């Protein structure tokens, strides 16, 4: 363990020198200064564990020095040193944020005891906050299944580790971004930025500038200097979603950054150093992409230092119902209405469904049902066809016990012999869903190639997949 850094602030130079010498002999790492200005300068450039501040100093006194130190470092423990007769002022200093005070002259043993007490309290407080943040970080990972319990345990272990390279993999819609945020929230970087980059959503020619920044005039349209997202995430977490979509040309530069932590903005002459934890995510088989020559093998192994697998919803027994109730409460609050409830028949269908779109599909379903049927009991009759498994509506009255408002394409009136099981929009959605899934299957999940076969842009494909909950 490194020795604790102690800042000694007193205008009497001989006293500072002797105290610094004594603290060094005790195995501490002291720095002595003679003014508030010098103390602030040290604090700005050095990590200090505790400060000893004299109460009476010319120009800026101890009380003002205490206030300025705490403004710069709110968690810094400060012990005030007062002359005989300044006890009342020392007590006021404690009320203002100092952790303790000593009256001159004092025994060195008393000072050392006071220092270690303050350091132990600070260490305990940090540990409590750290473990509390880890518990809060996994609170967003909802589910009672063994698969989710294992995921929460993995997130807690990974979040608290010192590794700066993590790969999250899982099917589309499983919540990989949520896992990345949980890892950040449970780490020691939690109070630093979390920056998310969707690699598939950025134009290929702009990904490098977006990540590493660019100088003014570095490329056509670069009318001003651009700060890269690596710099924005400094000290925190950079989340690279859909890492499998990064072009080969940029993969080499990303590998260089991951290996030595340095990068060069586009058009810049100087190299910058970055301190970020990189969390990458993919729904593709990166090992297969490596074999196909579409992903660098060295980058794959560099990213895959620690791997976290996010289970599909079909692998999370019972979690579909837990999540449905959670989303029902969330969207009821959002829509300012009573939450929907689920009939036993609907519960059975939700639990039996394979959820190809995973949690995203379920969330979109509950949001749609909350908007259309606020506060009502949801029966199978109002579920999408793929969940009902071929069930049809009968008699113009749904099993949820309430009259169904006429829908476009639905027969109405006393003479209506039958009711169409779904609107034309629903049938079109199903046809579109089948076309998209078939294209993705033929392209082994590669969205770019799937978009080409469908004759649409990559962004248009992404929008359609999101709308359909895929």
């Amino acid at each position: 363990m490194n020795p604790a850094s102690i800042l000694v602030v007193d205008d009497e130079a001989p006293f500072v020198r002797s105290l610094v010498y004594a603290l060094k002999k005790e195995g501490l790492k002291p720095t002595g200064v003679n003014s508030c200005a010098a103390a602030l300068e040290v604090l700005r450039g050095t990590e200090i564990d505790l400060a000893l501040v004299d109460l009476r100093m010319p120009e800026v006194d101890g009380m003002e020095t205490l206030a300025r130190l705490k403004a710069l470092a709110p968690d810094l423990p400060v012990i005030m040193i007062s002359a005989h007769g300044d006890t009342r002022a020392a007590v006021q200093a404690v009320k203002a944020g100092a952790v303790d005070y000593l009256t001159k002259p004092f025994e060195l043993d008393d000072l050392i005891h006071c220092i270690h007490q303050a350091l132990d309290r600070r260490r305990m407080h940090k540990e409590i906050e750290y473990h509390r943040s880890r518990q809060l970080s996994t609170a967003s990972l909802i589910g009672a299944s063994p698969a989710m319990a294992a995921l929460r345990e993995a997130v807690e272990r990974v979040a608290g580790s010192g590794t700066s390279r993590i790969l999250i993999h899982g099917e589309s819609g499983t919540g990989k971004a949520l896992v990345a945020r949980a890892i950040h929230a449970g780490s020691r970087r939690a109070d630093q930025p979390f920056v998310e980059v969707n690699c598939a959503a950025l134009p290929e020619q702009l990904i490098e500038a977006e990540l590493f920044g660019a100088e003014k005039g570095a490329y056509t349209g670069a009318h001003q200097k651009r700060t890269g997202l690596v710099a924005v995430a400094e000290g925190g977490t950079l989340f690279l979603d859909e890492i499998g979509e990064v072009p080969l040309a940029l993969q080499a530069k990303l590998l260089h950054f991951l290996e030595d932590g340095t990068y060069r903005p586009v058009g810049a002459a100087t190299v910058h150093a970055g301190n970020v934890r990189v969390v990458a995510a993919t729904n593709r088989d990166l090992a297969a992409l490596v074999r196909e020559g579409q992903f660098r093998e060295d980058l794959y192994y560099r990213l895959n230092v620690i791997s976290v697998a996010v289970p599909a919803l079909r692998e999370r027994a019972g979690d579909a119902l837990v999540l449905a109730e959670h989303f029902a409460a969330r969207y009821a609050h959002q829509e300012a209405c009573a939450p929907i409830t689920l009939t036993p028949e609907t519960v059975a269908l939700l639990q039996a469904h394979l959820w190809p779109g995973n949690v995203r599909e379920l969330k979109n379903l509950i949001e749609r049902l909350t908007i259309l049927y606020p506060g009502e009991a949801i029966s199978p009759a109002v579920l999408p066809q793929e969940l009902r498994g071929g069930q049809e509506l009968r008699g113009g009255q749904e099993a949820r016990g309430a009259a169904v408002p006429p829908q476009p394409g639905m027969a109405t009136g006393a003479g209506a012999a039958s009711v169409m099981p779904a609107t034309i929009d629903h049938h079109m959605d199903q046809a579109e869903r089948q076309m998209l899934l078939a294209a993705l299957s033929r392209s082994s999940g590669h969205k770019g190639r799937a978009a080409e076969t469908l004759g649409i842009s990559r962004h248009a494909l992404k929008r359609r997949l999101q709308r359909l909950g895929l």
Side-chain angles (χ1 to χ4, degrees), residues 242-392:
E242 299 198 53
I243 189 67
E245 309 302 327
V246 172
L248 277 169
L250 181 61
Q251 289 180 22
K253 295 180 180 180
L254 184 56
L255 173 65
H256 175 79
F257 171 64
L258 294 176
E259 286 181 333
D260 66 5
T262 63
Y263 63 95
R264 189 191 302 272
V266 178
T270 57
V271 173
H272 297 243
N275 170 29
V276 297
R277 168 182 260 184
V278 176
V279 179
T282 182
N283 62 356
R284 304 184 63 188
D285 185 348
L286 292 186
L289 294 181
V290 169
R291 293 191 295 270
E292 296 169 5
Q294 297 180 42
F295 201 84
R296 291 180 63 109
E297 183 176 25
D298 45 7
L299 177 58
Y300 169 61
Y301 289 117
R302 196 69 186 88
L303 284 168
N304 198 24
V305 175
I306 291 184
S307 180
V308 177
V310 184
L313 186 52
R314 63 180 175 276
E315 299 167 351
R316 300 167 50 180
D319 281 354
L321 181 57
V322 174
L323 286 165
E325 292 173 346
H326 167 73
F327 292 134
R330 176 200 289 185
Y331 290 119
H333 177 74
Q334 181 176 304
E335 297 294 324
C337 67
I340 60 172
T341 57
L342 307 175
T343 66
E345 295 81 9
T346 297
V347 169
L349 290 175
L350 294 186
Q351 291 177 328
H353 188 54
L354 292 180
W355 300 106
N358 289 294
V359 178
R360 183 185 296 129
E361 180 186 359
L362 174 60
K363 183 171 69 171
N364 291 346
L365 171 67
I366 300 300
E367 181 180 13
R368 185 163 63 248
L369 291 172
T370 300
I371 293 171
L372 293 176
Y373 310 105
E376 298 187 26
I378 302 301
S379 74
V382 298
L383 296 177
Q385 182 69 28
E386 63 269 20
L387 270 81
R388 286 188 282 140
Q391 292 185 21
E392 293 186 358

Side-chain angles (χ1 to χ4, degrees), residues 32-282:
V33 296
N34 304 121
S35 67
C36 174
L40 294 174
E41 185 176 350
V42 170
L43 191 57
R44 289 190 185 99
T46 309
E47 185 173 346
I48 298 296
D49 296 309
L50 181 142
L52 300 169
V53 179
D54 187 34
L55 195 57
R56 288 190 177 182
M57 292 188 294
E59 298 182 3
V60 181
D61 66 11
M63 291 292 287
E64 181 61 24
T65 300
L66 168 66
R68 295 186 188 183
L69 290 174
K70 298 293 283 185
L72 194 59
D75 296 331
L76 177 69
V78 178
I79 297 174
M80 302 303 295
I81 302 172
S82 65
H84 182 70
D86 285 340
T87 305
R88 180 174 296 179
V91 172
Q92 288 298 114
V94 171
K95 291 181 178 179
V99 296
D100 210 338
Y101 70 92
L102 288 171
T103 302
K104 293 180 182 178
F106 50 78
E107 295 292 330
L108 181 61
D109 287 345
D110 292 339
L111 174 62
I112 298 302
H113 177 71
C114 194
I115 288 173
H116 284 303
Q117 265 195 333
L119 291 175
D120 286 344
R121 284 197 299 269
R122 187 190 195 203
R123 192 176 300 114
M124 185 179 300
H125 177 73
K126 281 189 169 183
E127 288 179 1
I128 291 172
E129 288 301 313
Y130 169 63
H131 289 295
R132 182 180 297 156
S133 70
R134 289 182 65 182
Q135 292 171 355
L136 290 174
S137 71
T138 57
S140 60
L141 303 179
I142 297 168
S145 65
M148 284 304 292
L151 177 61
R152 283 191 291 269
E153 184 179 348
V155 166
E156 289 184 359
R157 287 200 307 269
V158 171
S161 72
T163 183
S164 57
R165 307 291 181 260
I166 301 164
L167 180 63
I168 302 171
H169 56 90
E171 296 178 8
S172 179
T174 50
K176 296 184 290 296
L178 198 64
V179 171
R181 287 185 177 276
I183 290 173
H184 174 73
S187 73
R188 290 181 173 86
R189 299 174 180 262
D191 58 345
Q192 300 300 317
F194 176 89
V195 177
E196 181 174 348
V197 185
N198 189 327
C199 299
L202 294 174
E204 183 173 336
Q205 63 273 22
L206 291 180
I207 293 182
E208 183 180 359
E210 192 74 17
L211 284 177
F212 301 127
E215 295 296 312
K216 180 180 179 180
Y219 55 88
T220 303
H223 302 301
Q224 58 185 7
K225 184 176 180 179
R226 176 195 288 257
T227 300
L229 295 176
V230 170
V232 174
E234 179 65 23
T237 301
L238 180 69
F239 175 46
L240 301 176
D241 197 10
E242 299 198 53
I243 189 67
E245 309 302 327
V246 172
L248 277 169
L250 181 61
Q251 289 180 22
K253 295 180 180 180
L254 184 56
L255 173 65
H256 175 79
F257 171 64
L258 294 176
E259 286 181 333
D260 66 5
T262 63
Y263 63 95
R264 189 191 302 272
V266 178
T270 57
V271 173
H272 297 243
N275 170 29
V276 297
R277 168 182 260 184
V278 176
V279 179
T282 182

Side-chain angles (χ1 to χ4, degrees), residues 393-397 406 409-420:
L393 306 182
R394 293 185 298 272
Q397 188 86 8
M410 181 181 290
T412 59
S418 64
V419 178
M420 292 180 64

